Short mmCIF file of all heavy atoms in Angstrom, two decimals:
data_model
loop_
_atom_site.label_atom_id
_atom_site.label_comp_id
_atom_site.label_asym_id
_atom_site.label_seq_id
_atom_site.Cartn_x
_atom_site.Cartn_y
_atom_site.Cartn_z
N LYS I 154 -85.21 12.30 15.65
CA LYS I 154 -86.06 11.78 16.68
C LYS I 154 -87.25 13.01 16.95
O LYS I 154 -86.79 13.99 17.22
CB LYS I 154 -85.54 11.37 18.01
CG LYS I 154 -84.63 10.14 17.76
CD LYS I 154 -83.96 9.71 19.10
CE LYS I 154 -82.98 8.47 18.84
NZ LYS I 154 -83.75 7.30 18.29
N ASP I 155 -88.46 12.50 16.86
CA ASP I 155 -89.57 13.40 17.12
C ASP I 155 -90.28 12.97 18.45
O ASP I 155 -91.27 12.05 18.37
CB ASP I 155 -90.52 13.40 15.89
CG ASP I 155 -91.53 14.50 15.97
OD1 ASP I 155 -91.66 15.14 17.01
OD2 ASP I 155 -92.19 14.68 14.89
N LEU I 156 -89.90 13.33 19.57
CA LEU I 156 -90.36 12.81 20.82
C LEU I 156 -91.82 12.87 21.10
O LEU I 156 -92.40 12.20 21.84
CB LEU I 156 -89.42 13.36 21.94
CG LEU I 156 -87.95 13.13 22.01
CD1 LEU I 156 -87.31 13.66 23.21
CD2 LEU I 156 -87.70 11.62 21.89
N PRO I 157 -92.43 14.14 20.67
CA PRO I 157 -93.89 14.21 21.03
C PRO I 157 -94.83 13.48 19.90
O PRO I 157 -95.97 13.48 20.00
CB PRO I 157 -94.18 15.70 20.86
CG PRO I 157 -92.83 16.32 20.78
CD PRO I 157 -91.95 15.35 20.16
N HIS I 158 -94.27 12.76 18.98
CA HIS I 158 -94.99 12.34 17.86
C HIS I 158 -95.42 10.81 17.88
O HIS I 158 -94.49 9.90 18.18
CB HIS I 158 -94.05 12.43 16.63
CG HIS I 158 -94.68 12.00 15.37
ND1 HIS I 158 -95.43 12.86 14.41
CD2 HIS I 158 -94.64 10.78 14.57
CE1 HIS I 158 -95.79 12.21 13.45
NE2 HIS I 158 -95.34 10.89 13.51
N PHE I 159 -96.64 10.55 17.71
CA PHE I 159 -97.10 9.26 17.54
C PHE I 159 -97.83 8.98 16.18
O PHE I 159 -98.43 9.97 15.62
CB PHE I 159 -98.19 8.85 18.58
CG PHE I 159 -97.67 8.82 20.06
CD1 PHE I 159 -98.26 9.77 21.02
CD2 PHE I 159 -96.65 8.07 20.41
CE1 PHE I 159 -97.75 9.69 22.29
CE2 PHE I 159 -96.14 8.18 21.75
CZ PHE I 159 -96.67 9.02 22.61
N GLU I 160 -97.78 7.94 15.50
CA GLU I 160 -98.42 7.62 14.32
C GLU I 160 -98.88 6.30 14.11
O GLU I 160 -98.43 5.33 14.80
CB GLU I 160 -97.45 8.07 13.05
CG GLU I 160 -96.25 7.11 13.12
CD GLU I 160 -95.20 7.60 11.95
OE1 GLU I 160 -95.23 8.79 11.73
OE2 GLU I 160 -94.55 6.73 11.35
N MET I 161 -99.98 6.13 13.41
CA MET I 161 -100.56 4.78 13.07
C MET I 161 -100.78 4.72 11.60
O MET I 161 -101.73 5.23 11.09
CB MET I 161 -101.83 4.64 13.86
CG MET I 161 -102.53 3.27 13.94
SD MET I 161 -103.91 3.20 15.08
CE MET I 161 -103.15 3.40 16.71
N THR I 162 -99.83 4.16 10.93
CA THR I 162 -99.81 4.40 9.38
C THR I 162 -100.53 3.21 8.67
O THR I 162 -100.78 3.27 7.51
CB THR I 162 -98.33 4.38 8.90
OG1 THR I 162 -97.70 3.05 9.22
CG2 THR I 162 -97.60 5.41 9.59
N PHE I 163 -100.73 2.04 9.40
CA PHE I 163 -101.45 0.83 8.73
C PHE I 163 -100.64 0.28 7.69
O PHE I 163 -101.19 -0.28 6.72
CB PHE I 163 -102.84 1.22 8.25
CG PHE I 163 -103.78 1.84 9.32
CD1 PHE I 163 -103.98 3.19 9.26
CD2 PHE I 163 -104.40 1.14 10.39
CE1 PHE I 163 -104.76 3.88 10.22
CE2 PHE I 163 -105.10 1.68 11.30
CZ PHE I 163 -105.38 3.08 11.28
N GLY I 164 -99.33 0.48 7.81
CA GLY I 164 -98.42 -0.13 6.75
C GLY I 164 -98.24 0.68 5.46
O GLY I 164 -97.55 0.13 4.49
N LEU I 165 -98.81 1.74 5.31
CA LEU I 165 -98.67 2.49 4.17
C LEU I 165 -97.66 3.57 4.27
O LEU I 165 -97.37 4.25 5.45
CB LEU I 165 -100.14 3.23 3.82
CG LEU I 165 -101.22 2.25 3.45
CD1 LEU I 165 -102.55 3.07 3.26
CD2 LEU I 165 -100.93 1.46 2.23
N THR I 166 -97.09 4.11 3.19
CA THR I 166 -96.16 5.15 3.20
C THR I 166 -96.91 6.40 2.85
O THR I 166 -98.07 6.42 2.36
CB THR I 166 -94.99 5.00 2.10
OG1 THR I 166 -95.58 5.00 0.78
CG2 THR I 166 -94.40 3.60 2.31
N THR I 167 -96.11 7.62 2.98
CA THR I 167 -96.76 8.82 2.66
C THR I 167 -97.00 8.96 1.13
O THR I 167 -98.07 9.51 0.55
CB THR I 167 -96.01 10.09 3.11
OG1 THR I 167 -94.64 9.87 2.63
CG2 THR I 167 -96.05 10.14 4.55
N ALA I 168 -96.24 8.31 0.34
CA ALA I 168 -96.39 8.40 -1.05
C ALA I 168 -97.59 7.64 -1.44
O ALA I 168 -98.34 7.96 -2.35
CB ALA I 168 -95.23 7.68 -1.72
N GLN I 169 -97.81 6.45 -0.86
CA GLN I 169 -99.02 5.76 -0.99
C GLN I 169 -100.30 6.43 -0.66
O GLN I 169 -101.30 6.49 -1.50
CB GLN I 169 -98.98 4.38 -0.29
CG GLN I 169 -97.99 3.32 -0.92
CD GLN I 169 -97.81 2.18 -0.08
OE1 GLN I 169 -97.83 2.16 1.17
NE2 GLN I 169 -97.71 1.04 -0.72
N TYR I 170 -100.31 7.18 0.47
CA TYR I 170 -101.38 7.97 0.71
C TYR I 170 -101.61 9.24 -0.20
O TYR I 170 -102.73 9.49 -0.59
CB TYR I 170 -101.13 8.62 2.23
CG TYR I 170 -101.57 7.79 3.37
CD1 TYR I 170 -100.62 7.26 4.21
CD2 TYR I 170 -102.92 7.52 3.64
CE1 TYR I 170 -100.96 6.40 5.28
CE2 TYR I 170 -103.32 6.62 4.75
CZ TYR I 170 -102.21 6.05 5.47
OH TYR I 170 -102.65 5.18 6.49
N ARG I 171 -100.55 9.78 -0.64
CA ARG I 171 -100.64 10.86 -1.62
C ARG I 171 -101.32 10.43 -2.95
O ARG I 171 -102.10 11.06 -3.63
CB ARG I 171 -99.30 11.36 -1.96
CG ARG I 171 -98.75 12.27 -0.96
CD ARG I 171 -97.63 13.17 -1.52
NE ARG I 171 -96.48 12.41 -2.06
CZ ARG I 171 -95.46 11.86 -1.45
NH1 ARG I 171 -95.40 11.93 -0.11
NH2 ARG I 171 -94.51 11.19 -2.08
N SER I 172 -101.00 8.92 -3.31
CA SER I 172 -101.67 8.35 -4.59
C SER I 172 -102.99 8.00 -4.40
O SER I 172 -103.74 7.48 -5.28
CB SER I 172 -100.75 7.21 -5.04
OG SER I 172 -100.85 6.12 -4.07
N GLY I 173 -103.56 8.10 -2.99
CA GLY I 173 -105.00 7.84 -2.85
C GLY I 173 -105.21 6.47 -2.18
O GLY I 173 -106.35 6.06 -1.99
N ALA I 174 -104.12 5.80 -1.78
CA ALA I 174 -104.28 4.57 -1.05
C ALA I 174 -105.01 4.72 0.25
O ALA I 174 -104.88 5.71 0.87
CB ALA I 174 -102.87 3.83 -0.91
N ILE I 175 -105.78 3.66 0.68
CA ILE I 175 -106.44 3.79 2.03
C ILE I 175 -106.01 2.48 2.70
O ILE I 175 -105.65 1.48 2.16
CB ILE I 175 -108.03 3.72 1.79
CG1 ILE I 175 -108.48 2.57 1.08
CG2 ILE I 175 -108.35 5.00 1.16
CD1 ILE I 175 -110.08 2.41 1.04
N PRO I 176 -106.10 2.59 4.06
CA PRO I 176 -105.61 1.42 4.97
C PRO I 176 -106.35 0.24 4.52
O PRO I 176 -107.56 0.19 4.46
CB PRO I 176 -105.92 1.86 6.33
CG PRO I 176 -105.85 3.40 6.33
CD PRO I 176 -106.37 3.77 4.94
N ASP I 177 -105.66 -0.97 4.62
CA ASP I 177 -106.30 -2.27 4.34
C ASP I 177 -107.10 -2.56 5.60
O ASP I 177 -106.68 -2.38 6.78
CB ASP I 177 -105.07 -3.29 4.07
CG ASP I 177 -105.62 -4.63 4.08
OD1 ASP I 177 -106.07 -4.98 2.98
OD2 ASP I 177 -105.71 -5.38 5.02
N LYS I 178 -108.39 -3.31 5.33
CA LYS I 178 -109.20 -3.60 6.47
C LYS I 178 -108.46 -4.55 7.46
O LYS I 178 -108.69 -4.44 8.69
CB LYS I 178 -110.39 -4.25 5.77
CG LYS I 178 -111.49 -4.63 6.95
CD LYS I 178 -112.76 -5.29 6.26
CE LYS I 178 -113.81 -5.53 7.27
NZ LYS I 178 -113.33 -6.42 8.38
N THR I 179 -107.69 -5.37 7.03
CA THR I 179 -107.04 -6.30 7.88
C THR I 179 -106.22 -5.52 8.93
O THR I 179 -106.17 -5.85 10.16
CB THR I 179 -106.12 -7.34 7.06
OG1 THR I 179 -106.88 -8.11 6.24
CG2 THR I 179 -105.54 -8.27 8.11
N LYS I 180 -105.54 -4.57 8.41
CA LYS I 180 -104.59 -3.86 9.40
C LYS I 180 -105.42 -2.88 10.25
O LYS I 180 -105.10 -2.69 11.52
CB LYS I 180 -103.70 -2.96 8.60
CG LYS I 180 -102.52 -3.99 7.92
CD LYS I 180 -101.53 -3.05 7.44
CE LYS I 180 -100.22 -3.83 6.88
NZ LYS I 180 -100.53 -4.94 6.07
N VAL I 181 -106.55 -2.44 9.77
CA VAL I 181 -107.44 -1.62 10.66
C VAL I 181 -108.07 -2.50 11.67
O VAL I 181 -108.14 -2.13 12.87
CB VAL I 181 -108.49 -0.96 9.80
CG1 VAL I 181 -109.67 -0.28 10.69
CG2 VAL I 181 -107.89 0.04 8.92
N ASP I 182 -108.49 -3.77 11.33
CA ASP I 182 -109.18 -4.60 12.27
C ASP I 182 -108.18 -4.98 13.30
O ASP I 182 -108.58 -5.30 14.57
CB ASP I 182 -109.66 -5.85 11.55
CG ASP I 182 -110.96 -5.63 10.71
OD1 ASP I 182 -111.57 -4.50 10.95
OD2 ASP I 182 -111.32 -6.38 9.89
N ALA I 183 -106.87 -5.04 12.97
CA ALA I 183 -105.86 -5.50 13.99
C ALA I 183 -105.74 -4.41 15.06
O ALA I 183 -105.59 -4.86 16.29
CB ALA I 183 -104.50 -5.67 13.24
N VAL I 184 -105.89 -3.18 14.60
CA VAL I 184 -105.71 -2.07 15.71
C VAL I 184 -107.17 -2.10 16.45
O VAL I 184 -107.10 -1.97 17.73
CB VAL I 184 -105.52 -0.71 14.96
CG1 VAL I 184 -105.55 0.34 16.14
CG2 VAL I 184 -104.21 -0.72 14.24
N LEU I 185 -108.26 -2.29 15.84
CA LEU I 185 -109.44 -2.35 16.59
C LEU I 185 -109.60 -3.50 17.51
O LEU I 185 -110.14 -3.33 18.59
CB LEU I 185 -110.66 -2.55 15.47
CG LEU I 185 -111.00 -1.25 14.71
CD1 LEU I 185 -112.06 -1.72 13.61
CD2 LEU I 185 -111.49 -0.12 15.43
N ALA I 186 -108.82 -4.62 17.28
CA ALA I 186 -108.72 -5.78 18.19
C ALA I 186 -108.09 -5.31 19.49
O ALA I 186 -108.31 -5.77 20.50
CB ALA I 186 -108.21 -6.96 17.60
N ILE I 187 -107.05 -4.57 19.23
CA ILE I 187 -106.34 -3.98 20.46
C ILE I 187 -107.25 -2.97 21.19
O ILE I 187 -107.24 -3.04 22.48
CB ILE I 187 -105.10 -3.20 20.00
CG1 ILE I 187 -104.06 -4.06 19.25
CG2 ILE I 187 -104.40 -2.55 21.13
CD1 ILE I 187 -102.84 -3.52 18.63
N LEU I 188 -107.90 -2.07 20.64
CA LEU I 188 -108.73 -1.13 21.29
C LEU I 188 -109.99 -1.70 21.77
O LEU I 188 -110.46 -1.26 22.90
CB LEU I 188 -109.19 0.02 20.20
CG LEU I 188 -108.14 0.80 19.61
CD1 LEU I 188 -108.73 1.83 18.59
CD2 LEU I 188 -107.22 1.55 20.61
N ASN I 189 -110.49 -2.74 21.39
CA ASN I 189 -111.70 -3.40 21.76
C ASN I 189 -111.48 -4.80 21.90
O ASN I 189 -112.20 -5.67 21.13
CB ASN I 189 -112.86 -3.03 20.83
CG ASN I 189 -113.01 -1.58 20.53
OD1 ASN I 189 -113.29 -0.75 21.54
ND2 ASN I 189 -113.01 -1.08 19.37
N PRO I 190 -110.80 -5.34 22.84
CA PRO I 190 -110.47 -6.89 23.10
C PRO I 190 -111.74 -7.59 23.31
O PRO I 190 -112.67 -7.04 24.07
CB PRO I 190 -109.50 -6.82 24.17
CG PRO I 190 -109.65 -5.55 24.89
CD PRO I 190 -110.09 -4.42 23.85
N VAL I 191 -111.87 -8.70 22.83
CA VAL I 191 -113.02 -9.64 23.05
C VAL I 191 -112.86 -10.21 24.54
O VAL I 191 -111.78 -10.77 24.86
CB VAL I 191 -113.19 -10.71 22.12
CG1 VAL I 191 -114.23 -11.63 22.45
CG2 VAL I 191 -113.43 -10.13 20.68
N GLU I 192 -113.82 -9.94 25.38
CA GLU I 192 -113.82 -10.54 26.63
C GLU I 192 -114.23 -12.03 26.72
O GLU I 192 -115.25 -12.38 26.15
CB GLU I 192 -114.74 -9.74 27.63
CG GLU I 192 -114.29 -8.36 27.78
CD GLU I 192 -112.97 -8.10 28.57
OE1 GLU I 192 -112.59 -9.01 29.18
OE2 GLU I 192 -112.28 -7.00 28.44
N ASP I 193 -113.50 -12.88 27.16
CA ASP I 193 -113.66 -14.43 27.31
C ASP I 193 -114.07 -14.88 28.65
O ASP I 193 -114.09 -16.10 28.90
CB ASP I 193 -112.36 -15.18 26.71
CG ASP I 193 -112.20 -14.90 25.39
OD1 ASP I 193 -113.10 -14.74 24.47
OD2 ASP I 193 -110.96 -14.90 24.88
N ASP I 194 -114.35 -13.84 29.44
CA ASP I 194 -114.73 -14.18 30.88
C ASP I 194 -115.94 -15.16 30.88
O ASP I 194 -116.82 -14.95 30.02
CB ASP I 194 -114.90 -13.10 31.71
CG ASP I 194 -113.70 -12.13 31.79
OD1 ASP I 194 -112.63 -12.71 31.69
OD2 ASP I 194 -113.92 -10.98 32.19
N GLU I 195 -116.01 -16.12 31.76
CA GLU I 195 -117.11 -16.91 31.91
C GLU I 195 -118.39 -16.10 32.51
O GLU I 195 -118.12 -15.14 33.16
CB GLU I 195 -116.85 -18.08 32.75
CG GLU I 195 -115.82 -19.04 32.31
CD GLU I 195 -115.59 -20.22 33.19
OE1 GLU I 195 -116.10 -20.21 34.23
OE2 GLU I 195 -114.75 -21.06 32.88
N ASP I 196 -119.45 -16.58 32.15
CA ASP I 196 -120.70 -15.93 32.69
C ASP I 196 -120.69 -16.15 34.14
O ASP I 196 -120.33 -17.07 34.76
CB ASP I 196 -121.96 -16.51 32.13
CG ASP I 196 -122.19 -16.24 30.51
OD1 ASP I 196 -121.49 -15.06 30.33
OD2 ASP I 196 -122.78 -16.91 29.97
#
Side-chain angles (χ1 to χ4, degrees):
K154 293 182 181 297
D155 192 350
L156 300 181
H158 180 91
F159 297 125
E160 61 186 32
M161 193 176 289
T162 66
F163 305 103
L165 297 177
T166 65
T167 54
Q169 289 172 314
Y170 277 111
R171 285 197 304 275
S172 68
I175 60 174
D177 178 82
K178 183 178 183 301
T179 302
K180 290 192 168 57
V181 171
D182 286 345
V184 178
L185 287 174
I187 295 173
L188 299 179
N189 305 299
V191 176
E192 298 292 342
D193 293 324
D194 294 338
E195 295 182 0
D196 293 337

